[in-house]
Amino acid sequence: MGTDMIEQVRSWLLARNPEVTAIGWDEDLIDSRLIDSLDFPQLLLLLEELAGHELELTAENVVGFRTLRGIRDTVLADTLGTDAVSHE
């Protein structure tokens, strides 16, 4: 299930960046310009839909939104359960 959620996020990002063919687990989504300040609210809405609840943005967890691994291991960790965290 966790992989399905992350693949939905990856597909969402690729749809917005047709020139990109792959996104690595640790690729910085902001530095690589896959998302910008206008895309972030839409990404947050997608993640809330996938999580099934509102996500709280804090200074501590905002870093988790920068990579697919961070989204999986930090942002969606409660939704996915502790077995979702891996060290690929």
Side-chain angles (χ1 to χ4, degrees), residues 6 9 12-13 23-32 34-36 39-48 51 53-77:
I6 292 302
V9 174
W12 183 88
L13 290 164
I23 302 170
W25 279 104
D26 297 312
E27 185 169 352
D28 191 304
L29 304 176
I30 297 168
D31 287 347
S32 63
L34 291 169
I35 59 172
D36 60 22
D39 294 324
F40 190 80
Q42 293 175 13
L43 175 62
L44 182 60
L45 288 173
L46 172 65
L47 294 173
E48 288 179 340
H53 60 85
E54 187 174 330
L55 299 172
E56 183 178 346
L57 285 177
T58 66
E60 294 80 27
N61 76 359
V62 75
V63 168
F65 288 89
R66 294 188 74 98
T67 66
L68 291 175
R69 186 182 311 274
I71 290 170
R72 182 194 65 193
D73 295 351
T74 306
V75 178
L76 296 176

